[in-house]
């Protein structure tokens, strides 16, 4: 829940098979699954397991999903919080939350800590700052840095963080021993979209005319989140039409609706254009 500011999911059921496409990212992040499953195998020759990795990519491309799948694959607890929750926080609260999160995570290790929208906490400290302004964000960032430095890599806690603005991050976060690995998560190409459609079509009752490849061809520029949304909308549209199965026509209407929603959102963001 939002009120708790971080959620601990002790049993994550999501695995790599729920994450369509993203083959390279899955391959890279597989290493972290191995670290979590069998840390001593890697440290025996004196090597240090990385503390964290940064998932970089546009909104809705499956960063959160992939982080959860790492926890699911390794069968470890998943702790998460979002940087945006810290934006308007009272003095001291953000830093205390971060300390509390690490304390809980260490007690449940091996585990994953996932920080969504880390740019909301981790923006460069020198960037466009009003003196005396936004101190709490800075406190929170400092507390995160202190916590990341304060645990040893064999503690079994691995931190994954997501951002779509890696260029704005404070360089302190990217230093070796912190988020020194970056995994890029791009928008899917037509094959990726076909695979994502296949995942989200699976639970639906479909008419035989529904074709994932055609749907992928009709949705250039869509991220996974929008594809999931199209599938759900199509099922609701078909149900409203009292159909026994979702047909291609329902998908076409759902795609139009999702495109309409995206256009509206863009208008709100940039009213001058
Ligand atoms: P944001 O940056 O906005 O937080 P995100 O990259 O973390 O976005 P997710 O929250 O993981 O995106 O994706 C939202 C939903 O979209 C997922 O729960 C899933 O239903 C769907 N989705 C996104 N990408 C994929 C994918 N590669 N395979 C299957 N489903 C996907």
């Amino acid at each position: 829940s939002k009120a708790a500011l971080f959620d601990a999911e002790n049993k994550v059921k999501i695995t790599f098979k729920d994450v369509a496409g993203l083959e390279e990212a899955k391959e890279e992040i597989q290493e972290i699954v191995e670290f979590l499953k069998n840390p001593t195998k890697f440290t025996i020759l004196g090597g240090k397991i990385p503390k964290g990795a940064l998932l970089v990519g546009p909104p809705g491309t499956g960063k959160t999903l992939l982080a959860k799948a790492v926890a699911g694959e390794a069968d470890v607890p998943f702790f998460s919080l979002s940087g945006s929750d810290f934006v308007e926080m009272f003095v001291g609260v953000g830093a205390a939350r971060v300390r509390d999160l690490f304390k809980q995570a260490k007690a449940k290790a091996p585990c994953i800590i996932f920080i969504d929208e880390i740019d909301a906490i981790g923006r460069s400290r020198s960037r466009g700052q009003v003196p005396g302004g936004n101190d709490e964000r800075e406190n929170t960032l400092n507390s995160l840095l202190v916590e990341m430095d304060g645990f040893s890599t064999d503690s079994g806690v691995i931190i994954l963080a997501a951002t779509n603005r890696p260029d704005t991050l404070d360089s302190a976060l990217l230093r070796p021993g912190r988020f020194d690995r970056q995994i890029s998560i791009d928008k899917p190409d037509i094959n990726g979209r076909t695979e994502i459609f296949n995942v989200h079509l699976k639970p639906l009752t479909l008419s035989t005319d529904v074709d994932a490849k055609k749907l992928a061809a009709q949705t250039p520029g869509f991220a996974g989140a929008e594809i999931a949304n199209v599938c759900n909308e199509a099922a609701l549209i078909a149900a409203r039409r009292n159909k026994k199965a979702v047909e291609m026509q329902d998908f076409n209407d759902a795609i139009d609706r999702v495109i309409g929603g995206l256009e509206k959102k863009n208008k709100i963001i940039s009213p001058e254009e």
Side-chain angles (χ1 to χ4, degrees):
S1 77
K2 257 231 150 90
L5 281 175
F6 53 82
D7 295 317
E9 276 181 45
N10 288 321
K11 273 287 166 210
V12 180
K13 290 196 192 81
I14 290 166
T15 60
F16 285 158
K17 72 170 177 355
D18 300 300
V19 187
L22 304 182
E23 295 311 323
E24 259 176 63
K26 277 194 241 176
E27 215 168 277
E28 284 178 60
I29 218 164
Q30 172 66 32
E31 190 183 28
I32 290 177
V33 175
E34 306 296 328
F35 291 149
L36 287 164
K37 277 190 181 163
N38 197 353
T40 49
K41 174 179 171 184
F42 295 91
T43 53
I44 196 151
L45 302 178
K48 284 193 180 114
I49 288 172
K51 285 185 179 174
L54 197 60
L55 309 180
V56 177
T61 46
K63 299 184 290 298
T64 306
L65 193 65
L66 187 63
K68 276 193 182 163
V70 169
E73 291 283 338
D75 198 21
V76 301
F78 181 81
F79 291 85
S80 71
L81 56 80
S82 175
S84 60
D85 293 339
F86 288 86
V87 170
E88 294 205 347
M89 200 160 269
F90 292 113
V91 175
V93 176
R97 289 285 177 189
V98 169
R99 281 195 298 274
D100 201 22
L101 172 66
F102 275 79
K103 197 171 153 200
Q104 289 202 33
K106 277 184 255 180
K108 286 263 169 100
C111 69
I112 290 280
I113 292 179
F114 177 65
I115 306 173
D116 201 3
E117 299 179 60
I118 192 167
D119 38 289
I121 321 174
R123 238 177 307 127
S124 172
R125 282 170 286 190
S126 55
R127 212 176 263 255
Q129 203 101 284
V130 193
N134 218 354
D135 279 346
E136 186 46 20
R137 191 188 58 76
E138 205 165 300
N139 284 342
T140 306
L141 173 57
N142 285 332
S143 135
L144 178 63
L145 295 173
V146 167
E147 288 297 334
M148 282 191 86
D149 293 344
F151 70 87
S152 62
T153 43
D154 54 12
S155 70
V157 179
I158 292 191
I159 309 162
L160 299 176
T163 183
N164 47 20
R165 299 292 316 274
D167 53 311
T168 65
L169 288 181
D170 197 295
S171 59
L173 276 170
L174 307 176
R175 235 164 257 158
R178 291 171 183 160
F179 294 105
D180 45 4
R181 295 186 183 207
Q182 291 200 15
I183 297 176
S184 66
I185 314 280
D186 295 319
K187 277 202 182 180
D189 62 9
I190 190 159
N191 295 323
R193 292 197 301 278
T194 307
E195 285 180 42
I196 298 171
F197 266 110
N198 279 326
V199 166
H200 292 278
L201 291 176
K202 212 167 206 173
L204 308 182
T205 303
L206 297 175
S207 149
T208 50
D209 72 337
V210 175
D211 180 342
K213 259 195 192 146
K214 277 189 196 150
L215 291 170
Q218 282 171 250
T219 49
F222 277 40
E226 283 125 32
I227 292 173
N229 197 357
V230 164
C231 293
N232 193 60
E233 283 291 332
L236 296 179
I237 289 170
R240 187 176 313 122
R241 293 168 175 168
N242 300 311
K243 290 185 184 171
K244 293 266 179 321
V246 195
E247 294 169 4
M248 207 58 175
Q249 182 57 51
D250 307 308
F251 280 97
N252 293 335
D253 295 338
I255 289 168
D256 287 344
R257 181 176 291 184
V258 170
I259 290 174
L262 290 175
E263 280 170 358
K264 236 186 243 157
K265 217 161 75 184
N266 290 339
K267 255 198 203 122
I268 292 166
I269 293 165
S270 50
E272 304 307 321
E273 279 161 304

